[in-house]
Amino acid sequence: MELNLDSEVLKAYGYTKENIKITQIGTGLINRTYLLAPLAEEKKYILQNINTSVFKSPQAIANNLRAIADYLAFNYPDYLFIKPVSTANSEEMAHIHNEYWRMLPFVPNTISLDVLADPKQAYEAAKQFGKLSRLLNHFEAKTLQATIPGFHDLALRYKQFILALNQAEEMLKNAANTQIEDALSHKYILDYYTLYSHRTDFPDRVMHHDTKISNVLLDNETYEGICVIDLDTIMPGKFISDLGDMMRTYLCAFSENETDLDKIKIRLPYFEATIKGYLSEMKGILTETEKELILFSGKYIIYMQALRFLTDYLSGNKYYPISYPKQNLDRAKNQFKLLQQIAAEEKELQDIIEQNLV
Ligand code: GN1
Ligand code: MG
């Protein structure tokens, strides 16, 4: 495959197309990612183009990662935090033809999964994300910049949905009729959040904000968690962001792209493993309010993701790449079904949480 990778970018890191093997990898929706294998080295690297229509200030990402990397290196020198490799000019990013690039070390003997096939993987992943939050418990979250302002602000996402609804073409609104009803009828999730958001023991913490399984590296033989990756959205937020996104992406055997809604079911052993893994790190740190909101975290994030897909559908698919016209609507349907499944299993899920909090 011919890769449209500018040779200036490689040059910034001291390589040429002749002395390196390049493969495009990753399944993320936002950034383009390549694996670089320099022929003369044993080490490999990950090269990523930062999507600046999403991340308007790449410098904010670089500043956040530097501050966190320094803090972790000082306080927890054994912790593996994947920080960017400097360019040949000792810069944190390569700025080439108005695009920003950064390079990261590739961690050998690890794999990243796209789907979970064993509850142990949920445990390991949840433990890794929990560990990052635990180690950063005393790091001043407010010293970090919001790399996407309002990223997990449900009130803002709801407002954006209403705006898109008011401006949408009639045809799109008709096609999305049921999902629009769903979006409106679940607004109580936002209202509930608003009530809690004023509590003093519901702090801002350093959150990863994108805790899907492919953002954890596992040992390729033992499947033990090694470290977390995709650190662009590390910024201040509430704990519900991370645990909620794990529920959104670990509990069902099929992803947000699945269109057969009969397949959208909650796997209780995966829920239990996620809770156990996360609490193995965070139980002693979460406040009483946060503990009350554990199950709510899943509803909050799933509802927000449904709103985001629906909003994008109604406004002409400007954010999430699609492979067919109604894909964002289908994704929204999928997420509303998942939300409904959580509600249907609420009692069992809450029992599991309580058993693991004692
Ligand atoms: C985006 O690019 P990716 O796949 O890591 C999005 C997440 C969504 C996710 C849904 C910056 O993540 O918030 O949950 O798609 N990231 C951004 O698949 O918008
Ligand atoms: Mg991401």
Side-chain angles (χ1 to χ4, degrees):
M1 183 173 53
E2 185 49 41
L3 295 163
N4 86 43
L5 185 54
D6 195 326
S7 52
E8 291 289 309
V9 179
L10 295 178
K11 203 171 132 199
Y13 287 98
Y15 298 108
T16 67
K17 278 193 177 162
E18 285 65 48
N19 64 19
I20 205 157
K21 184 169 172 274
I22 308 166
T23 342
Q24 188 159 3
I25 56 162
T27 50
L29 296 176
I30 305 298
N31 296 320
R32 281 200 325 275
T33 306
Y34 303 88
L35 176 66
L36 304 188
L39 302 180
E41 294 174 40
E42 248 179 58
K43 279 195 202 152
K44 293 180 187 163
Y45 301 91
I46 299 291
L47 181 70
Q48 266 194 326
N49 169 272
I50 304 176
N51 180 336
T52 46
S53 56
V54 172
F55 295 100
K56 304 238 170 359
S57 167
Q59 193 58 51
I61 301 177
N63 294 346
N64 286 352
L65 296 189
R66 188 185 339 103
I68 292 172
D70 290 351
Y71 177 89
L72 291 171
F74 184 79
N75 292 288
Y76 305 99
D78 294 334
Y79 180 71
L80 181 58
F81 185 75
I82 308 295
K83 64 171 190 189
V85 175
S86 300
T87 65
N89 294 332
S90 308
E91 281 161 337
E92 290 167 310
M93 292 177 288
H95 189 192
I96 310 279
H97 302 143
N98 237 0
E99 291 203 307
Y100 284 86
W101 295 83
R102 45 79 200 289
M103 196 156 101
L104 303 153
F106 175 82
V107 187
N109 308 319
T110 61
I111 46 161
S112 118
L113 305 172
D114 281 321
V115 277
L116 296 112
D118 185 330
K120 184 169 181 284
Q121 295 160 359
Y123 178 89
E124 290 294 323
K127 188 174 172 61
Q128 282 301 316
F129 287 114
K131 182 174 181 184
L132 179 68
S133 292
R134 175 175 65 78
L135 299 185
L136 294 172
N137 189 30
H138 295 298
F139 182 97
E140 278 281 349
K142 63 173 184 293
T143 61
L144 298 178
Q145 289 164 268
T147 58
I148 302 178
F151 187 46
H152 276 191
D153 177 347
L154 187 56
L156 175 69
R157 297 299 184 184
Y158 190 81
K159 225 163 89 185
Q160 290 169 335
F161 157 66
I162 297 293
L163 197 70
L165 181 61
N166 290 338
Q167 296 177 348
E169 289 171 25
E170 221 43 49
M171 219 176 68
L172 296 180
K173 279 201 283 198
N174 288 339
N177 207 4
T178 314
Q179 289 64 51
I180 293 170
E181 286 298 315
D182 280 340
L184 297 170
S185 69
H186 284 89
K187 179 174 175 275
Y188 70 88
I189 295 179
L190 167 59
D191 298 336
Y192 191 85
Y193 174 76
T194 310
L195 275 179
Y196 274 82
S197 64
H198 301 295
R199 292 214 184 162
T200 48
D201 65 342
F202 192 21
D204 275 351
R205 301 182 177 280
V206 182
M207 287 291 119
H208 181 284
H209 286 107
D210 193 5
T211 56
K212 60 187 182 188
I213 192 68
S214 58
N215 284 339
V216 186
L217 298 183
L218 305 174
D219 182 293
N220 63 5
E221 279 177 7
T222 63
Y223 281 33
E224 196 188 318
I226 302 295
C227 64
V228 303
I229 55 170
D230 193 3
L231 309 175
D232 300 333
T233 50
I234 293 198
M235 58 179 141
K238 303 290 183 191
F239 97 99
I240 52 177
S241 281
D242 283 8
L243 188 56
D245 207 37
M246 291 183 231
M247 292 189 199
R248 187 181 81 78
T249 54
Y250 300 177
L251 305 190
C252 178
F254 299 89
S255 81
E256 64 204 15
N257 291 314
E258 180 55 56
T259 54
D260 178 356
L261 297 188
D262 290 340
K263 291 185 179 162
I264 307 306
K265 296 199 181 90
I266 304 287
R267 301 177 291 181
L268 290 179
Y270 286 75
F271 180 80
E272 183 160 21
T274 304
I275 295 296
K276 278 194 192 315
Y278 187 75
L279 290 180
S280 72
E281 296 286 341
M282 287 294 284
K283 189 156 119 182
I285 288 175
L286 293 180
T287 67
E288 287 312 307
T289 286
E290 289 176 320
K291 287 179 187 163
E292 268 179 59
L293 292 177
I294 288 181
L295 185 56
F296 178 76
S297 72
K299 297 185 192 170
Y300 180 90
I301 292 295
I302 297 166
Y303 178 49
M304 184 164 65
Q305 193 63 56
L307 283 180
R308 290 177 68 192
F309 285 141
L310 183 57
T311 303
D312 204 30
Y313 174 73
L314 292 172
S315 38
N317 308 307
K318 296 194 188 81
Y319 192 86
Y320 291 111
I322 48 169
S323 46
Y324 61 92
K326 284 193 174 160
Q327 189 168 17
N328 276 321
L329 180 59
D330 283 345
R331 287 169 173 157
K333 282 185 196 170
N334 168 308
Q335 298 290 287
F336 279 121
K337 177 72 192 276
L338 187 61
L339 190 54
Q340 193 191 321
Q341 293 300 98
I342 295 260
E345 308 270 0
E346 179 135 14
K347 164 105 184 48
E348 286 82 347
L349 300 176
Q350 193 57 41
D351 283 350
I352 292 174
I353 293 171
E354 259 135 54
Q355 284 154 20
N356 285 283
L357 278 175
V358 286

